[in-house]
Amino acid sequence: MNKKPKSDTNQAVVLDLGAVIATVDADQPKVLLVGADGSDARPSLPSGPFDPEGDRTMEEGLRRWVEEQTGLTVGFVEQLYTFGDLFRDPDALAGGPRSISVGYVALIRQSAAKRPAKSDWFDWYRLFPWEDWRNGRPAVLDEVLKPKISSWIDEAADAKAKRARRGRADVAFGFSDAGWDADRVLERYELLYEAGLVVETVIDGRIKTRQNQSDTLAWTGLPLHQDHRRILATALGRLRGKIRYRPVIFEVMPIEFTLLQLQRAVEALAGAPLHKQNFRRLVAAEGLVEPTGRVSSETGGRPAELFSFRPDVVRERPAPGVRMPRGRRTR
Amino acid sequence: MNKKPKSDTNQAVVLDLGAVIATVDADQPKVLLVGADGSDARPSLPSGPFDPEGDRTMEEGLRRWVEEQTGLTVGFVEQLYTFGDLFRDPDALAGGPRSISVGYVALIRQSAAKRPAKSDWFDWYRLFPWEDWRNGRPAVLDEVLKPKISSWIDEAADAKAKRARRGRADVAFGFSDAGWDADRVLERYELLYEAGLVVETVIDGRIKTRQNQSDTLAWTGLPLHQDHRRILATALGRLRGKIRYRPVIFEVMPIEFTLLQLQRAVEALAGAPLHKQNFRRLVAAEGLVEPTGRVSSETGGRPAELFSFRPDVVRERPAPGVRMPRGRRTR
DNA sequence: CCACATATGCTCAAAATAAGTATAAGTGTC
DNA sequence: GACACTTATACTTATTTTGAGCATATGTGG
């Protein structure tokens, strides 16, 4: 920053802007992927170029190409991470220019989320089956992942490496007494990648497919282009953390919603079930919503009161977000 | 990501890696700045080039040039944000290549933090005087900032804009009932920038210096090169948030420390005083540290027991960090 | 021995939280 | 229209966490 690097060092850098465009539709978390047209190519995240002459800010550039490419006008946009690892980038390995991708998360309300050309809304948990605890602990964890991870730990070169692997697995998957931490999506994905338990590892040529491995891979979610599933893992972890202290959940809600709809949306992203009575008590206490006076009769039972987001909460609360019970921990 | 942008769109991008290198020394938070040699140039954050051919990852590139330039070996490194706004960049405005800077925060223990050539450790709060509440509410807030911000609110074009400004100020500075939120460092700096209350605004030519404005500027902290103070604000906010749920504080501590030293370090970054007895109770309950059996007699009173960080906490706790009392809120 | 400093252990009341029970108000079925 | 069923919402209770302070411990320098 204080002095410009020599320009020839940097000429071979190509910068693009990637977007994780997410919503919640019918209580399911969705993400926009392109190129899932049945061909053998893996789907990928939408991305577009950054125009250094036209775009005053990168966020502006992102909004521009998202609108151009998909017709969607995204509301909430937040920069996620800048990805530049060499191994993510087969072209650069082959001598091409180095590709750097600035990743963003964008949230959009379901109502505004049409189906853009060549794109599709994918259920987020098709990519991360082990992340969805809404109906209890996912079976894939104990039936597939846990034993495979154990093997991976045992395959470590020496006792020290074994301890390190076990430690990582304990933290990421809560195998020891820490319990499952919903935010550690990226740690989990990276461990599975290194352990060769997701398709990407094999495709990247990091390990060979082993006997009996291919049926494991069938259980570990849909593979994406390059490192895009890793980017999605980053985004999901970030969003899960964020809904707790910023009212981002309302970015995916319709203008009016019932408290149960709100709860389902939070559960969809958090990947965990919430205690209904406490949820509404916390939401009420936080002052995040206000009743509109209308009711929704589409629930099948007693009609629910409709609420809307109260934007001025942020003026009153240091960390306005949806607080989520984590279950009583015995210390 | 799915298709390469046309290369001519991107050729004019220069990528560098900027570092906020921070430590805590003698209970004071410090940050490494270069070029504060008494000349009229404003100090700046250290930064270095990214070498697309040599650096496999950006983090690796960062560690490389930090070591080359300063001789420091940084421990904890985390990517912060990628800065690419056009207005940050006078060269690009003048038709030069667009400069994109990937910012990192690096933490280093005081013991390892020598004074590198051409660099200096600056007290962080010299740049953000309003952020240091360790000795109570900073006087500059009520005596200088609050009235000036009020004027800025009143200068808004119409009632709607006025409300918007007031809302922002309330949130950022806790003027309404929300109270001060230590994490909102960036929001505060950006508001001051827009209100013309920091030197950078004037230098950037966004507003003219007004009558009686220059003495205000003398109270609003040391200006840095380009948008570097903005980057520092991002870093401070991020760190303040992070110490609560990740044990990053130990990255700046010596291997052995007393609980009061630990508390002072947390206070230094958090910018707030903590209740001593409760602090040690929380730290003990979190299991973050273990006694070494030795004591330190340098305290002037009863010798304090020495503790060391227990790295395996992360295996046991979902969010191991230093919990900080925020003062009893009455809802 | 004293005054003084910091360290550390402990109590207590207030607030927040998890979990559950009870009741309200609709729907569709017969 | 009685009834089973569904969802909504109010309220109760036990427990945990937190904020704040007091009391005691163990060193220093005079």
Side-chain angles (χ1 to χ4, degrees), chain A residues 1-19 34 44-59 69 78-89 91 97-104 163 166-168 170-171 176-181 183-184 187 225-228 231 238 245-246 285-286 314-320 323 326 329 331, chain B residues 1-19 34 44-59 69 78-89 91 97-104 163 166-168 170-171 176-181 183-184 187 225-228 231 238 245-246 285-286 314-320 323 326 329 331:
Chain A
M1 302 185 189
N2 54 323
K3 64 183 171 196
K4 291 270 186 244
K6 287 192 296 284
S7 66
D8 63 350
T9 316
N10 284 69
Q11 240 159 16
V13 172
V14 169
L15 190 75
D16 68 303
L17 307 172
V34 303
S44 61
L45 285 172
S47 86
F50 171 64
D51 170 11
E53 274 149 38
D55 298 323
R56 284 182 312 139
T57 69
M58 293 188 291
E59 189 181 311
Q69 273 193 32
E78 184 183 80
Q79 190 184 303
L80 189 63
Y81 200 82
T82 299
F83 300 87
D85 283 4
L86 184 59
F87 74 80
R88 73 185 291 269
D89 187 356
D91 289 353
R98 186 76 175 259
S99 145
I100 304 285
S101 176
V102 184
Y104 282 80
R163 255 200 318 280
R166 186 179 309 281
R168 274 186 65 194
D170 284 353
V171 174
S176 65
D177 50 355
W180 184 265
D181 181 354
D183 291 5
R184 299 188 192 258
E187 285 173 64
H225 186 237
Q226 285 184 13
D227 61 346
H228 291 192
I231 295 174
R238 187 75 76 83
Y245 62 95
R246 284 294 124 101
E286 207 67 35
V314 289
R315 213 163 306 165
E316 299 159 16
R317 304 250 163 254
R323 302 220 295 270
R326 281 177 302 178
R329 277 175 302 163
R331 286 246 166 129
Chain B
M1 303 181 187
N2 53 323
K3 68 183 170 197
K4 292 268 187 248
K6 286 193 299 281
S7 65
D8 63 347
T9 316
N10 283 70
Q11 240 159 15
V13 172
V14 168
L15 191 75
D16 69 301
L17 306 172
V34 304
S44 61
L45 284 172
S47 86
F50 171 64
D51 171 11
E53 274 149 37
D55 297 324
R56 284 184 311 141
T57 69
M58 293 187 293
E59 189 181 312
Q69 274 192 34
E78 184 183 77
Q79 190 184 301
L80 189 62
Y81 200 82
T82 299
F83 301 87
D85 283 5
L86 183 59
F87 74 80
R88 72 184 293 268
D89 188 355
D91 290 353
R98 187 75 176 262
S99 144
I100 304 285
S101 175
V102 184
Y104 282 80
R163 254 201 319 281
R166 186 180 309 280
R168 273 186 65 193
D170 285 352
V171 174
S176 66
D177 50 353
W180 184 264
D181 180 354
D183 292 6
R184 299 187 192 259
E187 284 172 65
H225 185 237
Q226 284 184 12
D227 62 345
H228 291 191
I231 295 175
R238 186 76 76 83
Y245 63 95
R246 284 293 125 102
E286 207 67 36
V314 288
R315 214 162 305 167
E316 299 159 15
R317 304 250 163 253
R323 304 219 293 269
R326 280 179 302 178
R329 279 174 303 162
R331 287 241 165 132

Side-chain angles (χ1 to χ4, degrees), chain B:
Chain B
M1 303 181 187
N2 53 323
K3 68 183 170 197
K4 292 268 187 248
K6 286 193 299 281
S7 65
D8 63 347
T9 316
N10 283 70
Q11 240 159 15
V13 172
V14 168
L15 191 75
D16 69 301
L17 306 172
V20 174
I21 304 174
T23 189
V24 175
D25 185 9
D27 299 342
Q28 300 307 318
K30 302 280 184 182
V31 63
L32 193 68
L33 297 178
V34 304
D37 47 5
S39 69
D40 58 350
R42 287 177 284 165
S44 61
L45 284 172
S47 86
F50 171 64
D51 171 11
E53 274 149 37
D55 297 324
R56 284 184 311 141
T57 69
M58 293 187 293
E59 189 181 312
E60 196 178 289
L62 182 90
R63 290 179 189 276
R64 179 185 50 72
W65 73 247
V66 168
E67 184 123 23
E68 285 171 9
Q69 274 192 34
T70 68
L72 298 176
T73 305
V74 291
F76 173 86
V77 167
E78 184 183 77
Q79 190 184 301
L80 189 62
Y81 200 82
T82 299
F83 301 87
D85 283 5
L86 183 59
F87 74 80
R88 72 184 293 268
D89 188 355
D91 290 353
L93 285 171
R98 187 75 176 262
S99 144
I100 304 285
S101 175
V102 184
Y104 282 80
V105 203
L107 296 178
I108 189 167
R109 349 196 150 263
Q110 167 228 316
S111 55
K114 289 147 282 187
R115 186 180 165 290
K118 293 189 199 163
S119 310
D120 258 313
W121 293 100
F122 272 69
D123 188 316
W124 204 306
Y125 296 121
R126 280 186 63 191
L127 310 169
F128 305 100
W130 55 89
E131 295 290 346
D132 186 5
W133 288 54
R134 286 176 295 173
N135 300 306
R137 188 180 169 88
V140 65
L141 261 173
D142 294 312
E143 290 171 15
V144 182
L145 298 183
K146 197 167 181 179
K148 292 289 177 184
I149 291 173
S150 289
S151 314
W152 172 74
I153 293 171
D154 291 336
E155 284 162 16
D158 52 46
K160 196 179 155 197
K162 225 172 261 190
R163 254 201 319 281
R165 284 187 177 183
R166 186 180 309 280
R168 273 186 65 193
D170 285 352
V171 174
F173 287 88
F175 290 143
S176 66
D177 50 353
W180 184 264
D181 180 354
D183 292 6
R184 299 187 192 259
V185 186
L186 180 61
E187 284 172 65
R188 285 188 280 271
Y189 176 76
E190 288 191 329
L191 190 145
L192 295 181
Y193 181 93
E194 286 179 46
L197 298 175
V198 291
V199 177
E200 285 92 331
T201 326
V202 181
I203 298 178
D204 291 359
R206 313 261 293 183
I207 64 158
K208 282 173 275 191
T209 314
R210 283 174 289 194
Q211 206 103 38
N212 294 332
Q213 192 75 321
S214 56
D215 38 309
T216 300
L217 298 179
W219 284 100
T220 54
L222 185 75
L224 297 186
H225 185 237
Q226 284 184 12
D227 62 345
H228 291 191
R229 193 144 58 134
R230 190 171 180 280
I231 295 175
L232 265 171
T234 311
L236 183 55
R238 186 76 76 83
L239 278 177
R240 283 181 169 181
K242 196 125 193 169
I243 43 182
R244 276 202 297 270
Y245 63 95
R246 284 293 125 102
V248 288
I249 189 66
F250 301 103
E251 303 287 338
V252 301
M253 299 301 295
I255 299 306
E256 291 195 332
F257 47 84
T258 70
L259 290 183
L260 188 58
Q261 284 174 338
L262 183 65
Q263 181 181 341
R264 295 286 179 242
V266 172
E267 289 175 332
L269 289 178
L274 299 175
H275 184 279
K276 190 163 163 180
Q277 292 94 322
N278 289 344
F279 177 81
R280 37 176 63 239
R281 184 185 44 183
L282 288 177
V283 168
E286 207 67 36
L288 290 166
V289 299
E290 60 190 356
T292 64
R294 284 175 289 276
V295 293
S296 157
S297 316
E298 299 169 18
T299 51
R302 170 176 170 179
E305 202 170 356
L306 284 167
F307 289 82
S308 64
F309 174 51
R310 208 163 65 81
D312 35 325
V313 249
V314 288
R315 214 162 305 167
E316 299 159 15
R317 304 250 163 253
V322 180
R323 304 219 293 269
M324 282 173 291
R326 280 179 302 178
R328 183 92 61 191
R329 279 174 303 162
T330 329
R331 287 241 165 132

Side-chain angles (χ1 to χ4, degrees), chain A residues 102-115:
Chain A
V102 184
Y104 282 80
V105 203
L107 295 178
I108 189 167
R109 326 187 176 273
Q110 167 227 318
S111 56
K114 289 148 283 188
R115 186 181 164 288

